[in-house]
Amino acid sequence: ETGVTQSPTHLIKTRGQQVTLRCSSQSGHNTVSWYQQALGQGPQFIFQYYREEENGRGNFPPRFSGLQFPNYSSELNVNALELDDSALYLCASSSGAQAFFGQGTRLTVV
Amino acid sequence: QKEVEQDPGPLSVPEGAIVSLNCTYSNSAFQYFMWYRQYSRKGPELLMYTYSSGNKEDGRFTAQVDKSSKYISLFIRDSQPSDSATYLCAMRPTQGGSEKLVFGKGTKLTVNP
């Protein structure tokens, strides 16, 4: 158990809809990152939040956005969903260089 | 050229075998190296974490980093069917800050009883 929890575990959305995924980070970790993992691929970095500010972003369009709250929990929002957004979305909280992942949210866009 | 290359396998071995998993990388700035184990439809679980070059051992697992060759390895001794999973290597240049973790594609391992 990493102490990182994500909700929901599974989600099915229609193309064009919007989705919000949630993450509670491990106690004491003030950095949270989001990754997208397509089937058969390694996780790809979406963005990172440190003390409620975005401080790093990968090669994802602006329709991927996020928030971090004072208790260090976080949300990932995706607007105008596309079929290619179907993937496992992973949240990780960090202590130094080590990152601990939640179980992920599997998003299917139909 | 991708920053991190990892043979996706699949790799199938008999129970008790020694397993060798490897990654190569191109970014000489990488300093922190991790191995994650991921069971099907689950999140990655941190197995090993090393800084710079050298070896690190934890039970049946040994991680090796050769920065001169830009090559990292994970060895699993006395492999068990419960080791069947996808193994992901990951690395980053700094301890924290805004630097992301860069992952390989993962190697799918099956240990047969």
Side-chain angles (χ1 to χ4, degrees), chain A residues 18-84:
Chain A
Q18 178 265 343
V19 69
T20 297
L21 311 181
R22 294 179 175 84
C23 172
S24 292
S25 59
Q26 190 169 343
S27 177
H29 291 182
N30 55 19
T31 301
V32 66
S33 306
W34 286 90
Y35 290 78
Q36 180 196 68
Q37 187 177 23
L39 201 61
Q41 302 295 317
Q44 298 292 313
F45 177 72
I46 302 174
F47 46 56
Q48 176 174 287
Y49 280 82
Y50 172 71
R51 294 186 176 181
E52 303 176 59
E53 296 284 333
E54 184 183 299
N55 75 336
R57 190 176 183 93
N59 189 25
F60 280 81
R63 58 189 185 85
F64 286 78
S65 63
L67 282 173
Q68 187 182 27
F69 300 100
N71 64 357
Y72 303 134
S73 65
S74 178
E75 285 182 357
L76 164 66
N77 299 290
V78 187
N79 293 322
L81 284 166
E82 300 177 0
L83 297 179
D84 284 350

Side-chain angles (χ1 to χ4, degrees), chain B residues 5-42:
Chain B
E5 300 276 3
Q6 184 177 11
D7 186 341
L11 183 61
S12 182
V13 301
E15 183 175 355
I18 296 175
V19 176
S20 172
L21 304 166
N22 311 291
C23 289
T24 59
Y25 62 94
S26 58
N27 187 347
S28 57
F30 287 141
Q31 299 261 29
Y32 296 86
F33 303 91
M34 281 142 275
W35 286 94
Y36 286 86
R37 177 174 62 195
Q38 186 174 28
Y39 292 113
S40 182
R41 297 183 173 272
K42 300 291 185 184

